Amino acid sequence: MLFDSWGPMHTFEPLKRAQQSLKESETRLQAFFENSPNLVFLKDRQGRYLHVNKEFKRALRITEEQIKGKRDDEIFSLEQAASFHTNDRQVLDAGVPMEFEEVSFQEDGPHTSIVHKFPLLNAEGEIYAIGGIATDITERKRAEKELLALRDELAAELTAMTRLHEFSTHLLTIDELQSLVEEVLDAAIASQNADFGNIQLYNHEAQVLEIVAQRGFQQDFLEHFRCVSDNGTACGRAMKLRERVIVEDVETDSEFAPHRHIAESAGFRAVQSTPLLSRSCELLGMLSTHFRRPHRPSLRDLRFTDLYARHLEEVLERKQAQQVLQMTQVELARVSRLTTMGELAASIAHEVNQPLAAVTNNSSACLRLLASGNLKPEVLRRSLEEMVADGTRASAVIARIRAFIQKTPGERNLVDMNEIIQEVLGLTARELCENRVQIDRQLTEPIPRVSGDRVQLQQILLNLIMNSIEAMVAVTNRPRSLWVQSGVYESDNLLIAVRDSGTGIGSDADRVFTPFFTTKAHGMGMGLSISRSLIEAHGGRLWAEPNSPNGTVFYFMLPVGARTPS
Ligand code: ADP
C-alpha cells in the first residue's frame, strides 16, 4: 500500500524535477543565446541554418522563416556564401574551433566580423552541427584605418618638414642671388606639382617686374612678359594688390583676356602669383607657377612656397640694403673728395680773383689807350709793372695755400697702408665693377706702419684710383687693369704704386701736378696738386711715370714709423 500509494509518486517526482530543470536550463541558454549582442548561429553539417539569434536577424534584416533550413547560397551572394562555406568546411575537417575574418553585406554597407566557428559533437563524438559567434569589428576597423591614414599623413608631413628644413639650411649656404632664385623656383614648382614657373624681380626705376629665372617657357612668352606692369596678368594684379592672385582658368578669367593667346601658345591654363615683399611691404619681386589644366593650388600646396618666398624676401631685402649702403659710401667718398677740393678751390678763387681782376683791368685800359693812339710808354711801363706785381701776388697766393696745406698738421696716427688701400678699394668697388676694371692687389704683408692722417691718405689714394678709372674709360682695345702695390723701400720707406692701363700722361709727367692743370671737361685740376702737398706734409714724395706698355703709374713714398717731416 505504502508502495502503491508512494511508489509512482516516488518515480514521477525526480523526472518532473529533471524535466523542469532541463527546461529552466534550456530557457537560460535560450535567453543567453537570444540576448547576446553578437550574431550567433547554428548550422547542420550540410550548412543549413538550425538557429540564428535575434541580433543575427536584426543585423541581416532577415526573418526566422527566411533563414531556417536554408543554406548560405540561398540567402547571400554567391561570393559571400562561398567564403562562409570554405571556412565552415575547414572547421568540419579539422574538428576544432577556428577563428575567421568574414565580410557580410548589410543595409548600410559591408561589415567585417571576427567569427569564431566551432564543431558541435553528439554523444558518439561525431560532429552533427557547426556553431558560430560573430563580433562586428567594422567600427574598430574604420578607426584603425583612420589611425593608419593619420599615421601616414603625419609621416608624410614629417618627411616634408625634414626636407624643408634641409632645403632651408641648404638655401642659407647659397651666397649668389641667381643660384638662390633658381633653387627656390625649382622647389616651389615641385611642392605645388606645377608645370612651369618663373621669378621676377621688381625694377624700382622702371616700376616693372622683370623675369630673372624661368622653367618651361619659350621665347615668345619671355618676350611678352619681359616687363610686366599691367593689371590683366596674375603677376600684374598681385603687384598692385600686394597679395597672392590665383587665376584658376585663363579661358574664363575676363581680366586675363588680353594675354590668352600667349597663355595658349605657352600651354598653361592656370597660374598663381605670390608677391615677394619687404618687411615694410615694398614690392621686391614675384614668384609665379603655372599649370597645364585649370587648377587652384590648395593652401596646403602653397604652404612651402610661402616659406621659400619668405626666405627669398629676406635675402633680397638684405641685398638691397647692402647696395644702398655701398652707393651711400661711394657717394660719401665722392662728396668728401669734392668738398675738400671745392673748399680749397673756393678760397683760391677768392684770393686769386683780386690780382687777376687788376691784371684784366690794366690790360683793358692799355688796349683802349692803344686803340685811341694815346698809350704813352710811361703809362704802358707802369701798367706792365703793376701787372707783373699782381701776377706775382696771385702765384704767391697759391704758394701760400700750398705752404698752408703742408703746415696743416692734420691727425697723426700710426696707420697700416694696406688697410687704407683695402678700404679705398672697397669704396671704389662699384666704380671699378661698372667700368669693368680688373683689379690686381700686390700688397706686402705685414707692412710697417706709417705716421699719418688716415682720412688724408684715403683721399690721396681715392683721387689716384678715380683718376686711373677715368683714364681707362676710353680704353676699349685692351683690358682695363688697375694694379695697387705696396712694399718697403730701402728699409725705412713705404712705397705705394697705383698703376693703370689707361691713356697715359705723355712725356712731361710732372705737369699733371701743376695747379689747375686738367684735361677733363669738368675737371678742376687741383687733385694731384693737393695730393702732392699732402704727401709732402707727411714727409713723403708723390710722382708719376709712364707705365709700360701703356698707362701711367703714380708712386708715393712715406717714411716708416713716427718720423716727422724735415
Ligand atoms: P682733375 O682730375 O680734376 O683733372 P687732377 O689734378 O687729379 O685733376 O688731375 C690732373 C690731370 O692729370 C687730369 O686731368 C689728367 O689729364 C691727368 N691725369 C691724372 N691722373 C691720370 C692718369 N692715371 N692717367 C692719365 N692722366 C692722368
Side-chain angles (χ1 to χ4, degrees), residues 463 467 471 500 504-505 512 517-520 523-525 527-528 552 554:
N463 192 52
N467 274 346
D500 63 57
I505 43 170
V512 294
F517 172 84
T518 181
T519 53
K520 300 171 193 166
M524 207 175 288
L528 286 175
T552 316
F554 282 82

Side-chain angles (χ1 to χ4, degrees), residues 516-536:
F516 303 113
F517 172 84
T518 181
T519 53
K520 300 171 193 166
H522 301 288
M524 207 175 288
M526 285 303 293
L528 286 175
S529 153
I530 293 172
S531 295
R532 181 175 260 182
S533 307
L534 290 174
I535 288 287
E536 285 168 5

